[in-house]
């Protein structure tokens, strides 16, 4: 028997990676004790440590027999198809021993954490644990038709020392290293085919000899720090080059490389010993020159000659040819260890010597391209923050890469937070700005919008003011004075140096509420430009780390991205779904949208505006797209016969005035009302200077490329807010006149058809009348006109069948018989010319046959 003392399981949240009980069956248990040690390494809101379920066809998680998970800083225990939440926050990178005890005779449930009782409950039930179920570590699961079905977020971190006994143990026994008599931590009980145990000499009960001795003392609850003060902290700077191999059509950009590196770091630095505090990535090319990405990403063998990746599948070697990109990474790593710095530097370098594959991307680090050096960082000194609206706060001496919390002055149950961060370039610790979001204002804000006029906007109260405005909006009348105050406060807020995602979302929800009121008077006209400029500033100031971010409300959407200019081949923004005030969905892709309510495609030539000369991604300008689902904001008093017949979409580039482009921007807009009357359509942009600074629509630089009943495609040589105007100068026919004109048309065509039919009958009945050539030509002309009228008269009836093929056939017959009628008229005029002008010596063999071939088509 191989006991797994001192061997932990590292789980990375993979759906297909878990450990299950094999070779043993759990019997029916009316008393039991279950213990597991766990160490979380990722701050996710939902996780699962283990679950036990009997065979059932249900996949409802509430039916689970026994399980332990976490949800939003609470332990969640599942027992006999019920669940209960236990308020206890398990910190990251700290080991906890959690035990569940059940005694059916006493009907008593107890939960212990690190030997301390955290929950006790009398259930009023004498149920027993059902036998012959499946036990899985790292997931909450259900068994369906004999298969394990995962139904919760996986565990990210380490699990250790799962034990189960057939009796309720005493509190003093829980932290002993005794082995469970039902399930214990030994190799023969578990299936480790997908996850192998990892040796860790720092774990409690770390040797076989320890199985009968008391376990090492675990941290008290709740812990105040993730490290023991006796273990020194040290910091290391890592400079390394790495290669990114790919076999996709699209070359990976900076964001792909950063995400891949982040995932790799989370795997190789999983324990408490090493933590990556922050890192930066850039393309591996000279910073002093404009260096194209073509010099960085090449065929694998162009720079590295004969590099190949060897992939083993079932004992056979498969050879792949990859493309490669080269990057440079700078990282700061915090080490918590008693070992000397030279040993720690060597361990870090060894961990970074690896190949990591994730989907079509592979990361390779050459040991010669890794440089690790220890750095000396001073603690962030004691500091004092004086705030006008939220009180004064004192921050203690704090270690680098650590967050400190201080109770709020008005609501002490909540905390103000501040981080002692590390400047990765200067290699120095510094205080970041305090976060007072959870702290309430010392004095409450007034309960109507007009009284907000005298409130000064600064960083500490910006979020509170916009939240308060949003709260007051339903009771506001939104007359001129209120709208001006709202616009003024929002303008002050967007001038703040930093804009959090929460603040940006709140501002856009305020604007969304105002737009949905569809105020169509002079009041809204005066603040249109102010609102548009405010949304522009929000997009450029909002902080985010991914490739793009978006804020989508019910009628207003904002999407911001910072593309890698070296990989820029064009960019399209599209609104894929929208119904007034609901179901607004936006997307961004590299190719133009084939179907969208509104879309903007930026051509490749805009690459020159994206800061390709800068190697650092933070210096690349942002691209911003906006969509307005209501048009009341864009009223133009100078328009008399035109109206806005599309939604409004905009595009802009940070710190760039994009004008007079050789390759135009393509804007596709769906008509809000179908252009049934084929009215004139104009592609326009919002001109902020028009109408004495109130703004209005302008056609300069935009031209209509294509339009139909539903869509218009515009080409513009600049970036701004775009729309489509419909010319209403042609007055539509009302219903009464339309009906009268229809009756007149049918009456005229009917009479024509009647007399044409009579003419044909007479000529066909009297042989003498149709002997000569003029009569025969007249017969064919009458036949063509009669068929033209008959098709026209039956057109409305045939269209009611809604058959596209039938409509096409009717249209083709109308064109054919109309052309045939004109041709026979022409032939009759030719015949009169020959009979009255030429007169003599005019003989054409098979004259009528040739006329029929010309008149009806050969």
């Amino acid at each position: 028997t191989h006991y797994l003392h001192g061997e932990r399981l590292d789980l990375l949240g993979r759906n297909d990676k878990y450990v299950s009980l094999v070779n043993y069956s759990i019997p029916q248990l009316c008393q039991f004790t279950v213990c597991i040690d766990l160490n979380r390494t990722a701050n996710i809101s939902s996780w699962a440590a283990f679950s036990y379920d009997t065979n059932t066809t249900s996949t409802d998680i509430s039916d689970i027999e026994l399980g332990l998970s976490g949800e939003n800083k609470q332990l969640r225990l599942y027992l006999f198809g019920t669940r209960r939440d236990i308020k206890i926050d398990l910190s990251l990178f700290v080991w906890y021993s959690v035990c569940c005890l059940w005694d059916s005779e006493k009907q008593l449930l107890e939960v212990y954490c690190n030997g301390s009782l955290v929950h006790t409950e009398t259930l009023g039930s004498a149920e027993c644990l059902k036998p012959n179920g499946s036990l899985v570590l790292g997931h909450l699961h259900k068994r369906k038709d004999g298969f394990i079905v995962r139904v919760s977020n996986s565990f990210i971190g380490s699990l250790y020392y799962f034990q189960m006994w057939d009796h309720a143990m005493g509190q003093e026994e829980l932290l002993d290293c005794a082995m469970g008599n039902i399930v214990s931590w030994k190799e023969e009980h578990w299936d480790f085919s997908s996850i192998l145990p990892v040796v860790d000499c720092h774990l409690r009960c770390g040797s076989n000899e320890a199985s009968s001795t008391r376990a090492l003392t675990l941290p008290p609850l709740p812990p105040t720090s993730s490290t023991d003060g006796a273990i020194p902290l040290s910091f290391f700077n890592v400079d390394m080059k790495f290669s990114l191999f790919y076999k996709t059509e699209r070359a990976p950009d900076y964001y792909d490389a950063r995400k891949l590196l982040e995932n790799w770091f989370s795997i190789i630095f999983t324990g408490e010993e090493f933590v990556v505090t922050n890192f930066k990535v850039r393309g591996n090319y000279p910073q002093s020159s404009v260096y194209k990405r073509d010099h960085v990403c090449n065929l694998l063998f162009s720079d590295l000659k004969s590099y190949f990746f060897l992939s083993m599948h079932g004992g056979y070697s498969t050879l792949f040819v990859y493309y490669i990109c080269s990057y440079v990474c700078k990282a700061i790593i915090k080490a918590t260890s008693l070992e000397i710095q030279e040993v720690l530097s060597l361990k870090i370098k060894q961990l970074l010597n690896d190949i990591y594959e994730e989907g079509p991307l592979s990361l390779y680090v050459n040991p010669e391209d890794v440089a690790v050096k220890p750095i000396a960082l001073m603690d962030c000194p004691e500091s004092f923050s004086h705030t006008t609206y939220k009180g004064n706060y004192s921050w203690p001496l704090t270690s680098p890469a650590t967050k400190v919390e201080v109770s709020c002055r008005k609501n002490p149950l909540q905390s103000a937070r501040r981080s002692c961060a590390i400047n990765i370039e200067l290699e120095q610790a510094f205080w970041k700005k305090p976060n007072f979001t959870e702290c309430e204002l010392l004095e409450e804000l007034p309960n109507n919008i007009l009284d907000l006029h005298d409130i000064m906007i600064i960083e500490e109260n910006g979020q509170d003011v916009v939240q308060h405005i949003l709260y007051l909006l339903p009771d506001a009348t939104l007359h001129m004075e209120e709208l001006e105050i709202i616009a003024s406060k929002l303008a002050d807020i967007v001038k703040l140096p930093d804009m959090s995602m929460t603040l940006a979302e709140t501002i856009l929800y305020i604007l969304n509420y105002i737009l949905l009121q569809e105020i169509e008077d002079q009041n809204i006209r005066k603040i249109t430009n102010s609102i548009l400029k405010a949304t522009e500033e929000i997009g450029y100031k909002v902080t985010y780390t991914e490739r793009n971010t978006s804020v989508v409300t019910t009628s207003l959407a904002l999407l911001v991205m910072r593309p890698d200019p070296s990989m820029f081949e064009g960019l399209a923004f599209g609104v894929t779904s929208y119904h007034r005030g609901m179901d607004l969905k936006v997307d961004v892709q590299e190719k133009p949208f084939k179907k969208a309510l509104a879309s903007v495609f930026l051509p490749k030539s805009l690459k020159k505006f994206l800061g390709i000369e800068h190697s650092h991604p933070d210096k690349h300008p942002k691209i911003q797209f906006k969509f307005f689902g209501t048009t009341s904001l864009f009223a133009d008093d100078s328009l008399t016969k035109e109206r806005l017949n599309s939604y409004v979409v905009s595009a802009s580039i940070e710190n760039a005035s994009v004008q007079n482009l050789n390759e135009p921007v393509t804007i596709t807009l769906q008509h809000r009302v179908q252009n049934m009357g084929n009215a004139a359509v104009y592609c326009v942009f919002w001109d902020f200077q028009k109408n004495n600074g109130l703004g209005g629509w302008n056609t300069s630089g935009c031209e209509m490329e294509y339009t139909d009943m539903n869509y218009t495609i515009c080409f513009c040589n600049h970036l701004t807010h775009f729309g489509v105007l419909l010319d209403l100068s042609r007055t539509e026919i009302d219903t009464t006149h339309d009906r009268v004109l229809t009756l007149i048309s049918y009456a005229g065509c009917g009479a024509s058809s009647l007399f044409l039919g009579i003419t044909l009958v007479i000529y066909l009945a009297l042989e003498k009348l149709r002997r000569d050539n003029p009569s025969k030509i007249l017969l064919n002309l009458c036949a063509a006109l009669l068929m033209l009228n008959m098709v026209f008269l039956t057109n409305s009836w045939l269209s009611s069948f809604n058959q596209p093929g039938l409509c096409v056939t009717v249209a083709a017959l109308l064109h054919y018989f109309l052309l045939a009628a004109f041709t026979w008229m022409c032939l009759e005029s030719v015949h009169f010319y020959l009979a009255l002008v030429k007169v003599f010596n005019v003989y054409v063999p098979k004259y009528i046959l040739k006329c029929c071939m010309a008149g009806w088509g050969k």
Side-chain angles (χ1 to χ4, degrees):
T1 299
H2 178 210
Y3 290 95
L4 300 172
H5 296 286
E7 295 185 48
R8 69 174 192 265
L9 294 177
D10 289 341
L11 294 96
L12 305 176
R14 292 275 299 272
N15 297 348
D16 56 339
K17 302 291 186 182
Y18 57 87
V19 172
S20 58
L21 184 69
V22 293
N23 303 324
Y24 285 86
S25 295
I26 295 177
Q28 177 174 304
L29 297 174
C30 295
Q31 293 181 337
F32 64 81
T33 300
V34 175
C35 292
I36 188 170
D37 288 14
L38 56 91
N39 177 17
R40 298 172 58 226
T41 59
N43 191 19
I44 57 177
S45 61
S46 179
W47 50 270
F50 75 88
S51 59
Y52 173 77
D53 186 53
T54 53
N55 193 10
T56 177
T57 57
S58 168
T59 57
D60 186 0
I61 193 64
S62 62
D63 294 339
I64 201 167
E65 190 72 7
L66 176 65
L68 180 67
S69 67
E71 190 79 24
N72 295 324
K73 298 185 178 181
Q74 296 185 111
L75 273 182
R76 178 167 291 175
L77 179 67
Y78 294 86
L79 183 64
F80 306 141
T82 63
R83 77 180 190 189
R84 54 213 23 90
D85 292 331
I86 305 168
K87 292 184 178 180
I88 178 173
D89 185 12
L90 303 186
S91 300
L92 299 181
F93 306 108
V94 178
W95 279 101
Y96 295 92
S97 178
V98 180
C99 295
C100 171
L101 286 70
W102 168 247
D103 189 335
S104 61
E105 292 182 3
K106 300 178 181 178
Q107 302 178 4
L108 180 65
L109 171 66
E110 294 179 326
V111 179
Y112 291 84
C113 186
N114 291 353
S116 300
L117 181 65
V118 294
H119 180 79
T120 181
E121 182 180 355
T122 302
L123 298 186
S125 171
E127 288 191 57
C128 297
L129 196 70
K130 296 176 183 177
N132 303 322
S134 58
L135 177 62
V136 171
L137 303 184
H139 296 274
L140 288 184
H141 79 288
K142 293 289 294 181
R143 292 184 62 186
K144 185 175 181 180
D145 300 329
F147 295 96
I148 292 178
V149 181
R150 171 188 173 271
V151 292
S152 80
N153 289 340
S154 306
F155 190 80
I156 300 180
S158 302
L159 298 177
Y160 173 62
Y161 219 65
F162 183 93
Q163 311 286 348
M164 177 181 277
W165 294 267
D166 59 2
H167 59 277
M169 300 180 68
Q171 181 176 0
E172 69 282 353
E173 302 176 275
L174 294 178
L175 293 181
D176 286 343
C177 293
M179 303 297 289
N181 60 353
I182 299 297
V183 179
S184 61
W185 197 240
K186 55 185 178 182
E187 188 173 8
E188 62 192 70
H189 280 184
W190 304 97
D191 177 9
F192 294 117
S193 58
S194 61
I195 302 177
L196 295 176
V198 178
V199 176
D200 186 347
C201 61
H202 295 70
L203 296 172
R204 74 184 186 98
C205 309
S207 64
N208 291 340
E209 291 76 10
S211 61
S212 61
T213 63
R214 183 79 173 175
L216 296 176
T217 303
L218 289 169
L221 285 172
T224 58
S225 173
S226 61
T227 59
D228 187 350
I231 302 179
L233 292 179
S234 52
F235 293 88
F236 296 85
N237 175 75
V238 176
D239 289 298
M240 72 175 187
K241 299 177 183 178
F242 66 94
S243 300
L244 190 63
F245 298 84
Y246 65 98
K247 49 184 178 181
T248 56
E249 288 186 12
R250 182 185 71 85
D253 60 10
Y254 154 79
Y255 297 99
D256 296 315
R258 190 181 187 281
K259 186 64 178 177
L260 190 68
L261 194 64
E262 182 180 4
N263 294 342
W264 184 48
F265 282 160
S266 68
I267 291 174
I268 62 176
F269 300 118
T270 55
E272 300 177 34
E273 188 174 22
F274 298 111
V275 175
V276 179
T277 63
N278 50 342
F279 69 95
K280 286 189 175 181
V281 178
R282 65 172 179 81
N284 184 22
Y285 43 81
Q287 302 186 42
S288 58
S289 63
V290 179
Y291 208 82
K292 304 296 184 184
R293 184 58 163 270
D294 297 338
H295 299 143
V296 183
C297 297
N298 298 286
L299 270 173
L300 176 61
F301 45 78
S302 64
D303 282 348
L304 303 184
K305 296 183 179 178
S306 59
Y307 261 123
F308 292 94
F309 266 30
L310 200 59
S311 179
M312 304 300 296
H313 298 288
Y316 296 93
S317 298
T318 306
L319 203 59
F320 294 101
V321 177
Y322 283 71
Y323 290 83
I324 180 173
C325 294
S326 181
Y327 290 91
V328 174
C329 171
K330 183 179 179 68
I332 302 294
I333 295 179
K334 179 175 72 172
T336 307
S337 177
L338 295 172
E339 295 177 326
I340 61 174
Q341 291 185 341
E342 289 77 6
V343 174
L344 293 174
S345 297
L346 182 60
K347 290 177 71 173
I348 293 173
K349 192 167 184 178
Q350 289 174 343
L351 287 171
L352 293 172
N353 178 21
D354 199 1
I355 294 175
Y356 173 64
E357 297 185 24
E358 186 177 288
L361 302 178
S362 301
L363 182 150
Y364 170 74
V365 179
N366 190 325
E368 297 177 356
D369 294 331
V370 179
V372 181
K373 67 173 184 179
I375 56 176
L377 295 177
M378 302 293 291
D379 291 344
C380 290
E382 292 185 8
S383 178
F384 183 79
S385 297
H386 171 74
T387 68
T388 305
Y389 294 102
K390 296 192 176 184
N392 301 326
Y393 296 83
S394 178
W395 309 99
L397 183 71
T398 304
S399 302
T402 304
K403 183 181 292 185
V404 63
E405 298 183 1
V406 177
S407 296
C408 297
R409 295 295 173 260
K410 180 72 177 293
N411 50 322
L413 294 180
Q414 303 298 325
S415 300
R417 296 176 174 84
R418 196 175 189 186
S419 295
C420 179
I422 302 173
N423 186 310
I424 197 169
E425 300 295 342
L426 301 177
E427 298 179 0
Q428 293 178 356
F430 69 99
W431 279 117
K432 296 184 74 173
K433 289 183 178 180
N435 182 355
F436 299 113
T437 305
E438 293 186 2
C439 297
E440 298 177 1
L441 299 174
L442 297 178
E443 296 183 6
E444 294 184 358
L445 294 170
N447 282 326
N448 67 78
I449 291 177
L450 295 179
D451 292 338
L452 292 175
H453 181 270
D454 297 326
I455 300 297
M456 181 181 297
I457 302 295
I458 57 177
E459 268 191 284
E460 66 189 69
N461 72 343
Q463 180 68 45
D464 300 271
V465 171
V466 293
Q467 288 283 8
H468 195 63
I469 292 175
L470 188 61
Y471 171 75
L472 295 176
L473 277 179
D475 297 325
T477 58
L478 294 182
H479 53 72
M480 187 61 201
E481 197 172 357
E482 286 186 337
L483 288 174
E484 286 183 342
I485 290 176
I486 292 174
S488 172
K489 295 307 169 187
L490 296 185
D492 291 341
I493 290 170
V494 298
K495 291 177 183 177
L496 298 175
D498 296 318
M499 175 75 62
S500 68
M501 181 58 67
T502 303
L503 184 57
E505 289 176 347
T506 310
I507 294 175
L508 288 184
Y509 275 111
I510 292 173
L511 298 178
N512 176 69
Y513 181 89
I514 295 174
L515 294 180
L516 286 177
Q517 307 311 304
E518 297 192 350
I519 305 170
E520 296 183 356
D521 56 24
Q522 197 66 20
N523 293 346
I524 198 73
R525 294 280 291 112
K526 292 182 178 180
I527 64 170
T528 294
N529 285 354
S530 175
I531 290 177
L532 295 181
K533 291 175 181 178
T535 56
E536 194 90 351
E537 284 296 314
I538 290 171
Y540 293 139
K541 286 189 174 181
V542 67
T543 55
Y544 64 98
T545 57
E546 300 299 326
R547 181 183 284 106
N548 59 65
T549 188
S550 62
V551 180
V552 180
T553 66
T554 53
S555 67
L556 176 64
L558 168 70
L559 187 145
V560 187
M561 68 182 306
R562 196 194 299 269
D564 187 340
S566 57
M567 303 303 301
F568 187 80
E569 296 294 328
L571 186 66
F573 166 80
V575 180
T576 57
S577 172
Y578 178 66
H579 303 286
R580 190 199 176 284
M582 60 185 296
D583 196 28
L584 174 55
K585 296 178 181 177
V586 299
D587 195 10
V588 64
Q589 60 187 37
E590 294 181 350
K591 301 295 183 182
F593 283 85
K594 294 183 179 179
K595 186 176 181 181
L597 299 179
S599 67
V600 179
F601 177 72
L602 306 183
K604 180 180 179 180
S605 59
L606 288 177
K607 179 186 293 190
K608 63 183 179 182
F609 295 99
L610 300 180
I612 193 170
E613 68 275 10
H614 298 297
S615 63
H616 201 288
D618 289 343
K619 294 183 179 180
H620 298 155
K622 296 177 182 177
I623 296 179
Q624 180 178 170
F625 300 98
K626 294 192 294 292
F627 170 79
F628 297 85
T630 60
T631 58
S632 58
L633 191 65
F634 298 93
D636 186 348
D637 297 335
S638 65
L639 299 180
T640 57
K641 298 178 181 179
E642 298 87 5
R643 75 170 180 213
L644 184 63
N645 194 35
S646 70
Y647 301 113
V648 177
V649 65
S650 74
S652 59
I653 298 178
E654 186 178 16
N655 299 325
S657 177
V658 181
Q659 295 178 345
N660 302 318
L661 294 173
N662 294 325
E663 190 177 0
V665 177
T666 304
I667 304 99
T668 304
L669 296 169
Q670 182 180 7
H671 299 159
R672 299 173 65 202
V673 179
Q674 288 186 329
N675 187 9
M676 302 292 292
N678 196 28
V681 171
Y682 304 100
C683 294
V684 292
F685 73 94
W686 186 257
D687 185 350
F688 286 84
Q689 305 305 320
K690 195 175 179 181
N691 296 325
N692 297 320
L694 292 178
W697 293 109
N698 192 335
T699 59
S700 301
C702 290
E703 60 182 29
M704 189 265 292
E705 173 65 15
Y706 168 82
T707 188
D708 59 21
M709 187 167 59
N710 298 310
Y711 283 91
T712 293
I713 299 177
C714 302
F715 283 172
C716 293
N717 63 6
H718 55 270
L719 295 182
T720 182
H721 300 77
F722 302 104
V724 170
L725 294 180
L726 187 66
D727 190 349
L728 302 178
S729 57
R730 298 194 330 183
T731 305
E732 296 184 4
I733 301 174
D734 59 40
T735 307
T736 303
H737 287 87
D738 181 66
R739 182 173 179 79
V740 171
L741 290 173
T742 302
L743 290 174
I744 293 173
S745 299
Y746 282 147
C749 289
S752 297
S753 300
L754 175 62
F755 290 112
L756 285 169
I758 293 172
T759 303
L760 285 172
V761 170
I762 292 173
Y763 269 80
L764 291 174
L766 301 176
E767 184 181 355
K768 292 182 180 180
L769 293 178
R770 51 186 169 84
R771 286 180 178 175
D772 55 354
N773 288 339
S775 300
K776 293 176 181 178
I777 293 174
L778 180 62
L779 278 172
N780 282 279
L781 175 60
C782 289
L785 289 172
L786 178 62
M787 293 305 299
L788 175 64
N789 281 280
M790 293 303 295
V791 173
F792 178 79
L793 289 171
T794 58
N795 179 39
S796 298
W797 173 67
L798 293 173
S799 65
S800 64
F801 291 98
N802 293 322
Q803 296 292 331
L806 187 59
C807 291
V808 171
T809 303
V810 171
L813 289 174
L814 277 172
H815 284 80
Y816 172 74
F817 287 121
L818 183 62
L819 183 61
F822 282 127
T823 306
W824 279 111
M825 290 179 190
C826 178
L827 289 172
E828 186 151 17
S829 65
V830 170
H831 179 76
F832 277 125
Y833 170 77
L834 294 176
L836 300 177
V837 178
K838 298 286 289 184
V839 182
F840 302 105
N841 298 324
V842 177
Y843 173 74
V844 179
K846 299 181 180 180
Y847 178 66
I848 293 299
L849 177 62
K850 292 178 180 178
C851 285
C852 288
M853 293 174 62
W856 296 110
K858 185 174 179 181

